């Protein structure tokens, strides 16, 4: 079947709900019928994706779709384990300047065209410089060459790049024969990808559904699902109820429903799906009341991180104790411990604020700040409400400002119109890729980067040192300096580690959905088992 993409006007909420429910029920009813029906999988999503090619679009849902369709040369799991992808093996020279990749043979693109070294050369020469995570490689790439027999590709760098392997693992290979001679960013294949992965793009009806079908020639094994349907269900309650009814196999459940998920024997939230997620606090360093690092440290201490994790987020998160998650503990500084360094000692916090000259006024208030968050996320909204009470204990009045994501972006990053902000984020493939950007200098006020308006040479140098070598011990030493300085400045920090946006699955029709995969965000299409007779 030829890939088809149609554009239609978004349905009304009622029509979308009815159609999605009908689709799911049809899938359920077909479970005992023909082989095609019994091997159908339904994953409800909340909105249209911004794109289906994560090589050129940085968005969580785009990354999820790409992980089923496209593939990198090296796989990287949600636990940061590297394994062979489209490259069977690789070797990095001792000086970190030459990366040799032995390509997997016999792989074909979804349209039947062979995957070759020419595709890899094209990607590194043409696509990687434009990709979400590729520019640091492109800037350092001196040349890329293929062996005469086409089995090996070698990247030659002008200087080492610390997270080289992790960044290569973040580059989805795109077919040269589809992209060459086109505008790469506007190529129609970005919305109807042709990859080498276990699932193939079939169709996309905007506002309605996306359909993927199995790749019968997948090099990695026999795909167990014949057809995956992704109905677009904007109503969170409808998605969740369809999940509990067994009409939908997978969806993201709201935090308010996670206790129900835990108690239901037929549902489970996936624990290992993507990179670790967290909710952080960001400070505006130019806010008059927050200009002093001692005040920012006191504010961070006043936030009851334990209560946020155990009460507000219902035990589905853990309070952050370090800047990096446990899965990246090799980079964590032993000299930083939030529980020890930033305890919620109300008397000590009050004294620190007094010492900073922010004494209480007649009404008991020291100062007032705005706390911004995205209102679409009920978890951050609940955290903001609780934090207002926590900061009131030390004389800080908080105005809660919940807005859409677009308004949040404009107010926080562009206008610097905030005091503190809560931000849900993902760690990414490496600290130098997903974490340091929240702390390093951002004079251009780019979105999804440090909004504090503070540029610190020590932070910038430590971050630069971490990418200047591929030696993990040397990188760890640089990260230690980075975190120790970040703790002093307190312009950004994780508050809780919370994988609340990881999907929840129903086990009524498919089992084995929780099996960890070698590639972050990929579903276990090879090992899942249908319960249909």
């Amino acid at each position: 079947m030829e890939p088809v993409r149609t554009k239609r006007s978004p349905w009304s909420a009622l029509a979308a709900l009815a159609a999605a429910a009908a689709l799911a029920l049809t899938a359920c009813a077909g479970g005992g019928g023909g082989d095609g029906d019994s091997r159908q999988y339904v994953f409800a999503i909340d909105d249209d994706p911004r794109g289906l090619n994560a090589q050129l679009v940085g968005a969580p849902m785009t990354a999820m779709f790409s992980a089923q369709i496209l593939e990198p040369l090296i796989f990287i799991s949600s636990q940061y384990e590297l394994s062979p992808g489209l490259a069977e093996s690789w070797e990095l020279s001792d000086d970190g300047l030459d990366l040799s990749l032995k390509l997997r043979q016999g792989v074909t693109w979804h349209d039947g065209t062979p995957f070759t070294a020419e595709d890899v050369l094209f990607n590194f020469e043409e696509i990687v410089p434009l990709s979400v995570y590729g520019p640091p490689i492109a800037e350092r790439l001196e040349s890329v060459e293929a062996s005469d027999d086409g089995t090996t590709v070698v990247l030659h760098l002008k200087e080492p790049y610390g997270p080289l392997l992790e960044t290569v693992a973040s580059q989805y290979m795109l077919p040269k024969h589809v992209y060459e001679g086109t505008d790469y960013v506007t190529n129609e294949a970005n919305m109807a990808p042709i990859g080498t992965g276990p699932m193939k793009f079939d169709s996309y009806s905007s506002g309605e559904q996306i359909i993927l079908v199995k790749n019968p020639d997948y090099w990695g094994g026999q795909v167990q699902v014949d057809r995956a349907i992704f109905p677009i269900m904007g109503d969170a309650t409808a998605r969740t109820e369809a999940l509990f009814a067994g009409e939908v196999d997978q969806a993201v459940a709201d935090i308010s429903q996670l206790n129900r998920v835990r108690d239901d024997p037929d549902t489970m939230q996936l624990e290992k799906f993507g990179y670790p997620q967290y909710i952080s606090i960001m400070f505006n360093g130019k806010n008059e009341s927050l200009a002093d690092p001692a005040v920012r440290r006191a504010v961070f201490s006043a936030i009851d991180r334990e209560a946020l994790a155990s009460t507000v987020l219902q035990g589905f998160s853990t309070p952050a104790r370090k800047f990096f998650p446990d899965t990246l503990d090799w980079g964590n500084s032993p000299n930083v411990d939030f529980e020890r360094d930033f305890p919620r000692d109300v008397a000590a916090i009050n004294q620190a604020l007094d010492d900073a000259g922010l004494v209480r006024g007649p009404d008991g208030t020291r100062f007032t700040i705005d706390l911004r968050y995205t209102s679409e996320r009920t978890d951050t909204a609940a955290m903001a409400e609780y934090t207002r009470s926590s900061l009131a204990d030390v004389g800080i009045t908080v105005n809660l400002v919940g807005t859409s994501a677009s308004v949040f972006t404009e107010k926080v990053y562009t206008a610097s119109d905030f005091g503190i902000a809560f931000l849900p984020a993902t760690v990414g493939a490496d600290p130098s890729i997903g974490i340091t950007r929240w702390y390093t200098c951002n004079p251009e006020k780019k979105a999804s980067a440090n909004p504090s308006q503070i540029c610190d040479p020590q932070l910038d140098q430590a971050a630069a040192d971490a990418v200047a070598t591929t030696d993990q011990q040397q990188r760890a030493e640089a990260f230690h300096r980075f975190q120790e300085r970040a703790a002093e400045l307190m312009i950004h920090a994780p508050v809780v580690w919370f994988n609340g946006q990881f999907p929840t699955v129903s086990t009524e029709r498919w089992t084995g959905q929780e099996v960890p995969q070698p590639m972050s965000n990929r579903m276990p299409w090879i090992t899942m088992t249908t319960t249909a007779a």
Side-chain angles (χ1 to χ4, degrees):
M1 182 176 185
E2 290 297 316
V4 176
R5 180 175 188 266
T6 60
K7 282 289 292 181
R8 304 182 188 178
S9 300
W11 292 1
S12 67
L14 181 60
L17 174 59
L23 173 65
L25 286 168
T26 299
C28 186
D35 185 62
D37 288 336
S38 66
R39 304 179 78 85
Q40 180 167 282
Y41 192 88
V42 181
F43 185 164
I45 57 178
D46 64 352
D47 200 358
D48 284 281
R50 287 170 49 192
L52 298 180
N53 177 6
Q55 188 68 351
L56 299 174
V57 174
M61 194 182 300
T62 301
M64 185 277 291
F65 276 106
S66 290
Q68 322 313 320
I69 302 169
L70 305 173
E71 296 185 308
L73 296 168
I74 301 172
F75 288 153
I76 181 169
S77 74
S78 61
Q79 303 299 298
Y80 299 99
E81 298 163 336
L82 299 175
S83 61
L86 291 176
E88 290 183 332
S89 62
W90 59 90
E91 183 176 354
L92 182 63
S93 62
D94 292 340
D95 60 9
L97 296 179
D98 301 295
L99 175 61
S100 178
L101 299 139
K102 184 177 181 182
L103 304 184
R104 192 175 298 279
Q105 301 301 299
V107 177
T108 59
W109 296 100
H110 292 157
D111 63 2
T113 304
F115 165 75
T116 70
E118 286 298 314
D119 292 302
V120 180
L121 295 179
F122 173 78
N123 273 267
F124 280 98
E125 292 171 346
E126 299 289 334
I127 303 296
V128 168
L130 303 175
S131 70
V132 176
Y133 301 112
I137 291 182
E139 293 164 6
R140 294 166 172 81
L141 190 63
E142 186 170 80
S143 64
V144 55
E145 62 178 339
S147 61
D148 292 340
D149 62 4
T151 62
T152 303
V153 168
V154 183
L155 307 183
H156 299 291
L157 276 63
K158 292 177 285 189
E159 60 186 68
Y161 180 55
L164 175 62
L165 295 178
E166 290 79 8
T167 307
V168 169
S170 302
Q171 306 303 309
Y172 289 109
M173 292 293 101
L174 304 181
K176 177 181 179 180
H177 67 282
V178 172
Y179 281 85
E180 188 176 35
T182 73
D183 183 323
Y184 308 143
V185 176
T186 62
N187 191 303
E188 292 183 357
N190 294 330
M191 295 303 294
I194 295 173
T196 59
M199 300 300 287
K200 300 168 57 174
F201 174 83
D202 180 79
S203 64
Y204 174 19
S205 297
S206 181
E208 298 179 20
Q209 65 184 23
I210 297 170
I211 297 178
L212 307 182
V213 295
K214 70 182 289 184
N215 176 6
D217 302 314
Y218 184 52
W219 61 266
Q222 181 64 37
V223 178
Q224 300 303 307
V225 176
D226 293 317
R227 192 167 182 253
I229 301 173
F230 297 80
I232 298 168
M233 301 175 68
D235 187 300
T237 301
R239 287 197 309 274
T240 305
E241 291 305 321
L243 184 71
F244 286 119
E247 298 164 357
V248 163
D249 300 302
Q250 186 170 162
V252 174
D254 186 84
I255 177 64
S256 63
Q257 299 295 321
L258 290 183
N259 273 323
R260 186 177 171 192
V261 170
R262 183 162 49 190
D263 295 339
D264 188 330
D266 295 324
T267 61
M268 70 174 78
Q269 186 187 31
L270 299 180
E271 297 180 358
K272 296 179 180 179
F273 182 74
Y275 299 127
Q277 297 178 346
Y278 62 103
I279 298 175
S280 65
I281 185 171
M282 305 190 291
F283 290 85
N284 183 349
K286 298 300 183 182
N287 179 285
E288 182 179 359
S289 301
L290 299 172
D292 185 345
V295 175
R296 298 195 295 269
R297 292 194 297 269
V299 171
F300 186 65
S301 297
I303 294 173
D304 195 336
R305 302 182 297 277
E306 183 65 45
L308 290 176
S310 62
T311 302
V312 177
L313 299 179
Q314 305 175 52
F316 290 96
S317 69
T318 57
R321 294 188 59 173
K322 293 180 179 292
F323 285 99
F324 296 176
D326 289 344
T327 45
L328 290 173
D329 198 48
W330 63 267
N332 269 319
S333 169
N335 299 319
V336 174
D337 184 329
F338 293 171
E339 187 174 327
R340 179 197 65 208
D341 304 335
F342 303 100
R344 193 172 192 276
D345 182 334
V346 174
I349 295 167
N350 275 315
Q351 185 62 56
L353 293 171
D354 287 342
D355 292 345
L358 297 171
V359 297
R360 292 178 185 263
D363 64 352
T365 299
R366 300 177 186 276
F367 59 89
T368 300
I369 54 174
D370 290 343
L371 193 172
R372 287 193 176 273
Y373 59 94
T374 53
S375 53
E376 296 99 333
R377 289 281 297 258
T378 57
D379 44 16
T380 51
M383 285 178 59
E385 185 66 47
Y386 197 94
T387 297
R388 176 166 63 177
S389 175
S390 296
L391 294 185
D393 292 343
V394 295
I396 300 172
T397 297
V398 173
N399 294 326
L400 299 183
V401 187
T403 65
S404 66
S406 60
V407 171
F408 178 93
T409 296
E410 195 280 327
K411 294 295 185 181
V412 171
Y413 301 107
T414 305
S416 300
D417 181 12
F418 74 107
I420 56 178
F422 279 152
L423 177 76
T426 299
V427 171
D430 181 89
S432 292
I433 297 173
I435 295 179
T436 58
R437 61 192 168 97
W438 297 111
Y439 303 83
T440 53
C441 191
N442 182 25
E444 300 88 359
K445 293 192 171 185
K446 296 177 181 177
S448 299
N450 176 12
S452 73
Q453 304 184 79
I454 290 177
C455 288
D456 182 73
Q458 293 182 51
L459 274 178
D460 290 350
Q461 186 59 57
D465 290 344
V467 300
T469 177
T470 56
D471 182 275
Q472 189 176 87
Q473 182 56 45
Q474 293 179 30
R475 297 191 72 211
E477 292 170 1
F479 284 136
H480 294 174
R481 288 187 280 112
F482 177 88
Q483 293 164 72
E484 288 153 20
R485 182 57 176 163
E488 292 173 357
L489 291 178
M490 190 47 66
I491 57 175
H492 185 112
V495 177
V496 292
W497 301 110
F498 175 54
N499 295 333
Q501 292 298 295
F502 281 12
T504 292
V505 298
S506 166
T507 57
E508 289 192 26
R509 295 189 299 186
W510 290 93
T511 61
Q513 299 170 80
E514 76 283 5
V515 176
Q517 295 301 292
M519 182 176 169
S520 178
N521 284 311
R522 175 162 286 183
M523 296 166 60
W525 304 111
I526 309 299
T527 57
M528 289 196 313
T529 303
T530 179
T531 61

